[in-house]
Amino acid sequence: MSKSEICCKCLLTKGTPGISFDKDGVCNYCRDYTLMETEGEERLREQLDKFRNQKSKYECMICVSGGRDSTFTLWKIVHDYGMKALAVTYDSPFLSPQAKENIEVAIKKLDVDHLYWKYPKNTHFDTTKKHLKIWANRPSSQMIPFVCAHCKSWNFKFYKIARDHNIPLIIFGSNPLETASFKKEGFGGAQTYGSLRNIPRIVGKSFIELISNPSYLKANWLMVLKMYLGASHNTPYMRIRNRNVSVIRVFDYIRWNEDLVESTIKENLDWKKSTEVEASWRFDCRLDYLRRLMYHSVIGVTELRDLFSKMIREGMITRKDALKRLEIEEKVPKNVVLDVLDSFDLKMNDVGLDINHRLIKD
């Protein structure tokens, strides 16, 4: 890739939706970037103290996927702050075996109660297969989240579990840098799905996608509606519906630090990333391996490239090191991709992927 096709400060390429470059080769995403701010650990302790209750079995609920950030959050909240927690995991049909092993080890070492939940029967798997085939009729970067509608609507169940157990606080360990910047050119990220001012954009773009690909009429629209209403705890609908349950995102208070997160959970909870892929980010969902190829096929950019670009802007990594890491971590083994597709009885050609073979390794 030539220098003229990639930002000279970050790693975003000319295929990134909404990108432009100035005369110095700097992209607008770098020029418009606002550095991440946190409220501080003392403020986090103050917030947690509001929910301490000797009479309650649980003071909080922690959503754990077995990935690095949620596992670190579980460690921090239970070990460092001594909160009485119920750990909850969505048992996705695409949950990585290594993620599941990480969960089991962590809850045992921390001695916390834990429960899995899943959608009835094969509804998640069947809807994902259906949506994937619809998407393949006319691949579009902004409709890739549509394929993952079930996972973007799980907040409804998390809140129900909290209410059923009389838990007043849900704690998330989501990485504040992980929502891809280029999604704002589509429907927006999960934090903006339910925003009232975003409704005209959603309606307009949905209509265009529907006209371009009428197969969307066959989609599971009830699940899609739940995705937009409940993709974030912060949507107006979720705030009104769950006024008695508060939410804390740990990395709104503690600055996210990749090295600290990984070293802490490796040393204390024997945490491991999956051997299936090189990246330690988002390996917990095996479907994400396919999503990476879907984004790259359509726009030539992956969410991992966007994450590294933000880390460069934050001063967490040099551009040179990010490029080296991307060369290794962006790749997905071919056998892993084929295995995920095979679970749907699909082949690479069935989903219309135009793959740069630099992204797949044998």
Side-chain angles (χ1 to χ4, degrees):
M1 189 176 291
S2 69
K3 291 183 179 180
S4 62
E5 296 178 316
I6 184 171
C7 176
C8 66
K9 285 196 172 182
C10 72
L11 306 183
L12 296 184
T13 69
K14 68 175 184 178
T16 306
I19 201 166
S20 62
F21 298 93
D22 63 18
K23 60 181 177 60
D24 298 316
V26 179
C27 77
N28 54 311
Y29 286 102
C30 282
R31 294 196 306 270
D32 299 339
Y33 187 75
T34 301
L35 290 174
M36 180 172 57
E37 295 183 355
T38 56
E39 297 188 42
E41 190 163 3
E42 186 57 37
R43 177 62 175 160
L44 175 58
R45 290 180 184 275
E46 292 174 2
Q47 293 295 96
L48 293 174
D49 286 345
K50 296 177 183 178
F51 297 93
R52 296 189 187 277
N53 188 337
Q54 292 184 347
K55 296 180 180 180
S56 297
K57 183 176 182 180
Y58 304 118
E59 296 166 328
C60 65
M61 185 179 102
I62 304 174
C63 304
V64 184
S65 70
R68 61 190 188 184
D69 296 325
S70 66
T71 304
F72 175 84
T73 297
L74 181 66
W75 165 264
K76 195 75 178 172
I77 296 299
V78 174
H79 179 269
D80 288 6
Y81 304 137
M83 296 288 287
K84 295 182 290 184
L86 171 66
V88 179
T89 301
Y90 170 49
D91 192 5
S92 162
F94 310 108
L95 186 63
S96 159
Q98 184 58 60
K100 214 160 192 174
E101 181 180 320
N102 289 340
I103 293 167
E104 300 300 328
V105 172
I107 62 175
K108 183 175 181 180
K109 283 182 173 288
L110 291 170
D111 191 26
V112 296
D113 291 341
H114 174 257
L115 65 86
Y116 284 105
W117 70 271
K118 61 174 63 178
Y119 287 103
K121 298 181 181 179
N122 295 318
T123 54
H124 183 169
F125 182 86
D126 292 343
T127 297
T128 302
K129 179 178 180 179
K130 182 178 185 179
H131 286 189
L132 182 59
K133 293 174 76 171
I134 292 173
W135 178 86
N137 289 331
R138 185 182 178 277
S140 161
S141 65
Q142 61 191 22
M143 293 303 288
I144 292 176
F146 160 87
V147 176
C148 303
H150 270 78
C151 279
K152 293 184 178 298
S153 60
W154 58 23
N155 277 316
F156 285 90
K157 183 63 176 182
F158 281 132
Y159 274 106
K160 185 178 186 304
I161 292 171
R163 291 194 300 269
D164 289 347
H165 289 81
N166 297 313
I167 299 174
L169 174 66
I170 298 177
I171 300 179
F172 292 107
S174 51
N175 181 339
L177 303 180
E178 67 183 355
T179 298
S181 307
F182 56 75
K183 288 184 178 180
K184 69 181 181 180
E185 296 298 316
F187 293 108
Q191 291 289 315
T192 63
Y193 279 173
S195 172
L196 296 179
R197 65 183 179 182
N198 201 33
I199 290 178
R201 171 198 289 267
I202 291 174
V203 172
K205 288 186 175 292
S206 296
F207 182 75
I208 292 172
E209 291 288 344
L210 186 59
I211 294 299
S212 303
N213 185 359
S215 299
Y216 283 120
L217 289 171
K218 302 176 183 178
N220 183 343
W221 282 103
L222 176 60
M223 188 55 63
V224 172
L225 177 62
K226 291 181 69 176
M227 175 180 78
Y228 283 109
L229 292 176
S232 166
H233 69 278
N234 207 31
T235 66
Y237 179 83
M238 295 303 281
R239 288 201 305 268
I240 294 171
R241 179 186 172 95
N242 303 286
R243 282 171 291 188
N244 295 327
V245 180
S246 298
V247 170
I248 284 177
R249 298 197 312 168
V250 164
F251 295 114
D252 286 342
Y253 298 85
I254 301 173
R255 180 175 168 81
W256 180 78
N257 181 309
E258 183 183 40
D259 291 337
L260 175 64
V261 166
E262 291 198 18
S263 63
T264 298
I265 55 181
K266 285 177 181 177
E267 292 171 11
N268 297 290
L269 299 175
D270 296 332
W271 181 90
K272 299 178 179 66
K273 75 173 185 65
S274 173
T275 56
E276 290 188 310
V277 289
E278 293 297 330
S280 59
W281 181 57
R282 287 190 176 174
F283 73 83
D284 43 322
C285 175
R286 297 183 82 239
L287 186 63
D288 197 70
Y289 310 160
L290 181 59
R291 276 168 48 99
R292 192 178 306 172
L293 301 186
M294 291 164 70
Y295 274 114
H296 196 277
S297 175
V298 178
I299 59 175
V301 179
T302 64
E303 292 175 288
L304 184 64
R305 181 181 284 267
D306 182 84
L307 173 66
F308 284 168
S309 293
K310 289 187 185 133
M311 290 173 65
I312 292 170
R313 296 176 200 131
E314 290 284 344
M316 297 175 173
I317 189 173
T318 67
R319 187 175 185 274
K320 181 179 179 181
D321 287 342
L323 278 168
K324 288 181 180 178
R325 284 185 57 181
L326 191 70
E327 193 66 30
I328 298 170
E329 297 180 32
E330 198 176 35
K331 288 185 171 71
V332 183
K334 187 175 183 179
N335 67 301
V336 174
V337 178
L338 294 179
D339 186 51
V340 173
L341 285 171
D342 187 59
S343 69
F344 294 118
D345 295 320
L346 296 172
K347 304 298 182 184
M348 198 83 80
N349 291 338
D350 295 329
V351 288
L353 296 181
D354 179 20
I355 299 301
N356 179 333
H357 291 284
R358 183 188 62 78
L359 216 63
I360 294 183
K361 65 177 184 179
D362 293 321

